Amino acid sequence: MTVAQIIRQLFGSMGITMEIFFVTLITSLILGLGLALVRMSKIKLLSLLAKFYISVMRGTPLMLQLLVVYFGPYFIFGIPITQSYRLKAVLIGFALNYAAYFAEIYRSGISAVPLGQYEAARLLGYSRPQTFFRIVMPQVIKRIIPPVANETITLVKDTSLAFTLAVAEVFTVTKQLVAAESSMVPFVVAGVFYYVFNLLVAMFFDYLEKRLSYYQ
């Protein structure tokens, strides 16, 4: 099989990989913000629950979490597992996992905003939501771009863990081609794909960081 044929074989699976990436990134960024706010809540029980959730998600392997999400409905509730649920389980597992990491990133960014800015906003008549979205969040976004970029790059590589549930993303199809062709070429093609994908991600965040620089 030629390189062009291998690329064609992997082309369809690249779409699945990108779907996992973008769905996970969007949902986990949203869930992460909500989780961070719960983690910083003055209600002790909610804060402890969020802290425990984050600890579990960050302290256990993503592969294990994917298996729990996939087999959990059957073993706990007796719900039959369908073929179509494989991709859904991957998306759910990835989103829940990365939300925990992004929650801690948000929390560190919010905590870094000086308390004096909250007091100044209150004196100017801003409500709590107005203070948060107009004054705090713009600064938080600027501060958290580097760690978010690092997690996003990790996410690109972690999409390969979807092979755990036999989802036909790039890495899964690559392994099948290597076994069928007894060749390392599919690994090289997959490596180039992941590298270029990560390079584009890094360039995007570098551009975003420069655009939001206070010194420009």
Side-chain angles (χ1 to χ4, degrees):
M1 184 178 290
T2 65
V3 174
Q5 290 174 322
I6 291 173
I7 292 174
R8 281 197 294 271
Q9 287 283 335
L10 291 175
F11 187 77
S13 61
M14 290 177 185
I16 299 296
T17 294
M18 295 181 72
E19 180 182 355
I20 295 171
F21 171 79
F22 284 110
V23 172
T24 299
L25 183 62
I26 294 170
T27 53
S28 60
L29 281 172
I30 296 171
L31 290 173
L33 177 58
L35 187 58
L37 295 177
V38 174
R39 171 74 175 80
M40 300 177 74
S41 172
K42 293 180 180 180
I43 303 175
K44 194 69 174 178
L45 178 60
L46 291 179
S47 179
L48 287 174
L49 287 174
K51 186 176 181 179
F52 176 73
Y53 173 84
I54 292 170
S55 176
V56 170
M57 287 294 153
R58 297 174 70 193
T60 56
L62 175 56
M63 186 181 296
L64 175 62
Q65 295 169 22
L66 291 175
L67 292 172
V68 170
V69 172
Y70 182 66
F71 291 107
Y74 175 76
F75 287 113
I76 298 174
F77 304 107
I79 301 174
I81 299 173
T82 61
Q83 184 70 23
S84 62
Y85 181 62
R86 292 182 185 273
L87 179 57
K88 294 176 183 176
V90 167
L91 296 176
I92 293 170
F94 269 80
L96 294 177
N97 177 272
Y98 271 84
Y101 287 92
F102 286 132
E104 287 298 279
I105 293 174
Y106 279 123
R107 188 173 69 87
S108 65
I110 294 171
S111 299
V113 177
L115 291 175
Q117 297 198 23
Y118 291 91
E119 296 170 358
R122 187 165 59 249
L123 290 173
L124 291 172
Y126 281 83
S127 64
R128 279 192 170 185
Q130 288 175 325
T131 300
F132 184 75
F133 288 106
R134 293 187 181 182
I135 297 176
V136 176
M137 275 307 292
Q139 297 180 66
V140 170
I141 291 172
K142 169 65 174 64
R143 294 172 188 272
I144 68 174
I145 285 178
V148 167
N150 287 335
E151 286 299 327
T152 304
I153 289 172
T154 301
L155 172 59
V156 173
K157 294 178 287 187
D158 276 354
T159 56
S160 62
L161 291 176
F163 86 90
T164 306
L165 302 184
V167 173
E169 46 71 55
V170 170
F171 188 69
T172 304
V173 176
T174 298
K175 290 201 307 176
Q176 293 170 354
L177 289 174
V178 169
E181 299 296 321
S182 299
S183 170
M184 291 291 289
V185 175
F187 280 148
V188 175
V189 174
V192 171
F193 166 75
Y194 284 116
Y195 174 74
V196 172
F197 199 168
N198 266 327
L199 184 63
L200 293 173
V201 169
M203 289 172 62
F204 169 75
F205 279 103
D206 184 55
Y207 168 79
L208 190 61
E209 188 173 5
K210 290 178 179 177
R211 287 283 296 178
L212 295 177
S213 175
Y214 296 144
Y215 303 104
Q216 294 184 353

